Amino acid sequence: MACKLVILFFFVNLLMQIPKVRATVPAIIVFGDSTVDPGNNNQVSTVLKSNFEPYGRDYYGGQPTGRFSNGRIATDFISEALRIKPAIPAYLDPKYDIEDFATGVSFASAGTGYDNATSDVLSVIPFWKELEYYKEYQNKLRKHLGKDEANQRFSESLHLISIGTNDFLENYYIFPTRSSEYSVDEYQSFLIGIASNFIRELYELGARKVVIGGLPPMGCLPLERTTNMFFGSDCIDEYNDVAKDFNKKLQGAVTELKQELGGIHLVMSSPYDKLMEMIRNPSHFGFEDAETACCGTGFFEMSYLCDNMNPFTCSDANKYVFWDAFHPTEKANAILADYV
């Protein structure tokens, strides 16, 4: 009986702590690529956009927003889970102002990477520019809330970083420049150096709660399976191995930064294992297809190739792990967010 009372007390105490934990995260601040871009690329002169149907068909009101999904993306679900708001706005979206951004904002740009050369490929916002926008945002928030309250908000807000896949699939393995300069191992270290310096700069700007995402099993994305068509459209093991190696190195960098930067709460969150679970055992999660995407033929369509004129787009995206040839469906994003 005493043991049961101790266990009951433990769980009651744990439940009482949950609102306190949530209350210490007043905002979510996001950096990265298309996995977390809610529409910044709408305001950028690039071909990499998704502000048209059928993108967003399962979003609120069925409206395309610039999210590369049929609905919400993972950071939206994380924000909702923390009881902040159901969707995080894009910093460059003129519909929003500093009052909206005070509880969450995304500076992410689809197609970008750690490497400046990656953002140049499709003329999107480079990673360093996202940090400049963050500095601009800080100044606006200090004017809006007052210096002390704003600085406290920066330290308590959750800073999320999701980036890196484009550096390999859009840059390193397609163009000869970086692959002639670096071996894969050297390029991984080059990118992790950029990631580490980015976190150091966030820390200097007052950030104390940071989550950085690792790479997914990028060899299993439908687009990469299509390039492997002559070998049975299997996942490209080489790319998956690179992702796993990169994630190990990133975890090592995170460990070092936690020792270096006093008071930082820094965590690496890897989508690799959970997404691979969905790909290997889709029926366990209620999916029917994890190899092809919902949009178009499901083999290669993304951005403007995935438009409302394509007659092959599926009717129910919830049956698919991937929405287009590169990005998860809203349902898969929700599962990944829950895992995080």
Side-chain angles (χ1 to χ4, degrees), residues 213-217 247 268-276 336 339-340:
L215 297 182
N247 291 346
M268 177 188 159
S269 174
S270 175
Y272 189 98
D273 291 336
K274 183 55 65 175
L275 187 54
M276 185 60 88
L336 289 170
Y339 174 71
V340 172

Side-chain angles (χ1 to χ4, degrees), residues 92-103:
L92 298 184
D93 192 329
K95 296 195 303 289
Y96 301 99
D97 57 25
I98 191 60
E99 187 171 352
D100 301 301
F101 298 147
T103 53

Side-chain angles (χ1 to χ4, degrees), residues 158-270:
L158 182 60
H159 296 70
L160 290 169
I161 304 167
S162 177
I163 196 169
T165 304
N166 296 319
D167 289 303
F168 292 97
L169 300 186
E170 184 185 303
N171 185 358
Y172 188 86
Y173 284 111
I174 294 180
F175 298 103
T177 305
R178 289 307 193 200
S179 58
S180 64
E181 292 176 337
Y182 302 98
S183 66
V184 172
D185 181 73
E186 290 169 340
Y187 192 57
Q188 289 173 338
S189 297
F190 170 68
L191 298 180
I192 287 170
I194 296 172
S196 296
N197 286 334
F198 190 89
I199 292 170
R200 290 186 183 99
E201 291 193 67
L202 283 180
Y203 180 84
E204 289 300 318
L205 291 169
R208 291 298 181 270
K209 298 177 181 179
V210 183
V211 175
I212 185 165
L215 297 182
M218 54 190 185
C220 292
L221 301 179
L223 183 62
E224 305 314 316
R225 284 179 181 266
T226 300
T227 64
N228 203 31
M229 188 175 295
F230 293 111
F231 298 94
S233 297
D234 292 331
C235 297
I236 300 178
D237 290 336
E238 178 188 353
Y239 292 175
N240 285 348
D241 290 341
V242 167
K244 287 187 287 188
D245 289 343
F246 180 88
N247 291 346
K248 288 178 183 177
K249 290 180 180 178
L250 184 60
Q251 182 60 68
V254 164
T255 300
E256 292 178 2
L257 286 167
K258 287 167 70 174
Q259 296 173 347
E260 174 188 336
L261 306 175
I264 194 170
H265 299 280
L266 175 62
V267 176
M268 177 188 159
S269 174
S270 175

